[in-house]
Amino acid sequence: MSCFLLVACQSQNKKTTFIITSEQIKHLSEQDIEAIGAQVCVESDKRSVIANENSRLNKKLQMLAQTLPKKINNIELTYKVYLNTDPNAWSTVNGCIRINSGLIKLLNDNELQAVLAHEQAHIALKHAIKSFRLAPYVEITNKDVVILVKKEVAQQYEFEADHYALELLMSRSINPIGLVTMLKKMPMHSTINTTTSHPSNIKRIDRILERLGTK
């Protein structure tokens, strides 16, 4: 990520904030945005407690990841488990996928495969890159990336990711009903860097069941 692209602001609590303006966004390549995603992932890993490679949780995650593509858009996918009770999962454009231990404990294997497929979908469909392009500005702090997109756009991305995940699971002979049962258990499922409302889980479930022809 090139420093000249960013305007820095310092708040009273010493949190550094970088602003990428809409004009600067126009000059960002996909590689630039991937580099920002990579930095987000690195910083998040530094702040988090990561499960040991030989832990049961990590072995389970890696085993389930083997049932799905290892690369998306020629990007190598990487997985880690955060020791965090919050049931959450997120991904970044550079192939970083992170799953909280609380989510692994909440879901069964089939449902976790659905989560991984959904996160792969966001990467495959380049939702983060599209969000950058649509945003009036992007705010980067030492803790997060804030991308403002319209509520309707963010919700459409979730529906698209569900559809992609559905097709991916079926192509791998994995029961796609995990998408439904996963959503029934989760309060929210999202990428890390989109700060708009998601569609309700009920709406997402309805669309998945319609595509499965079970409604």
Side-chain angles (χ1 to χ4, degrees), residues 4-5 19-28 132-133 135-138:
F4 72 86
L5 292 171
I19 303 296
I20 307 178
T21 68
S22 58
E23 186 61 32
Q24 290 168 333
I25 289 172
K26 293 178 184 177
H27 300 289
L28 289 177
F132 259 80
R133 301 294 187 212
Y137 67 91
V138 174

Side-chain angles (χ1 to χ4, degrees), residues 60-61 64-69 72 77-82 86-92 95-124 127 157-158 160-170 174-192 198 201 204 208:
K60 182 175 185 176
L61 175 60
L64 295 174
Q66 292 301 311
T67 66
L68 295 167
I72 296 290
L77 303 176
T78 65
Y79 301 87
K80 290 184 181 179
V81 178
Y82 285 176
D86 181 33
N88 194 31
W90 54 269
S91 58
T92 58
C96 167
I97 297 177
R98 300 295 183 259
I99 311 291
N100 284 0
S101 57
L103 186 60
I104 295 178
K105 293 176 180 178
L106 176 67
L107 304 181
N108 63 36
D109 287 0
N110 182 230
E111 292 161 349
L112 286 169
Q113 286 172 308
V115 169
L116 298 182
H118 180 92
E119 295 305 333
Q120 286 196 8
H122 282 303
I123 298 168
H127 284 156
Y157 288 167
E158 291 303 305
E160 289 175 2
D162 286 340
H163 181 209
Y164 183 101
L166 181 67
E167 298 293 326
L168 174 57
L169 291 170
M170 290 192 295
I174 299 171
N175 189 352
I177 202 64
L179 281 167
V180 173
T181 56
M182 171 269 291
L183 285 169
K184 287 181 177 179
K185 293 181 180 180
M186 289 186 61
M188 177 170 286
H189 184 55
S190 67
T191 54
I192 194 172
H198 283 62
N201 288 351
R204 291 173 63 186
I208 293 166

Side-chain angles (χ1 to χ4, degrees), residues 14-63:
K14 296 183 179 180
K15 180 178 74 172
T16 301
T17 300
F18 296 99
I19 303 296
I20 307 178
T21 68
S22 58
E23 186 61 32
Q24 290 168 333
I25 289 172
K26 293 178 184 177
H27 300 289
L28 289 177
S29 67
E30 286 194 11
Q31 290 72 29
D32 290 328
I33 298 173
E34 287 175 10
I36 292 170
Q39 187 61 35
V40 169
C41 189
V42 167
E43 293 300 323
S44 181
D45 284 353
K46 287 180 181 177
R47 297 191 311 270
S48 303
V49 180
I50 299 172
N52 186 280
E53 288 185 5
N54 296 318
S55 69
R56 179 183 59 83
L57 290 172
N58 186 64
K59 286 182 177 180
K60 182 175 185 176
L61 175 60
Q62 301 304 328
M63 177 194 71

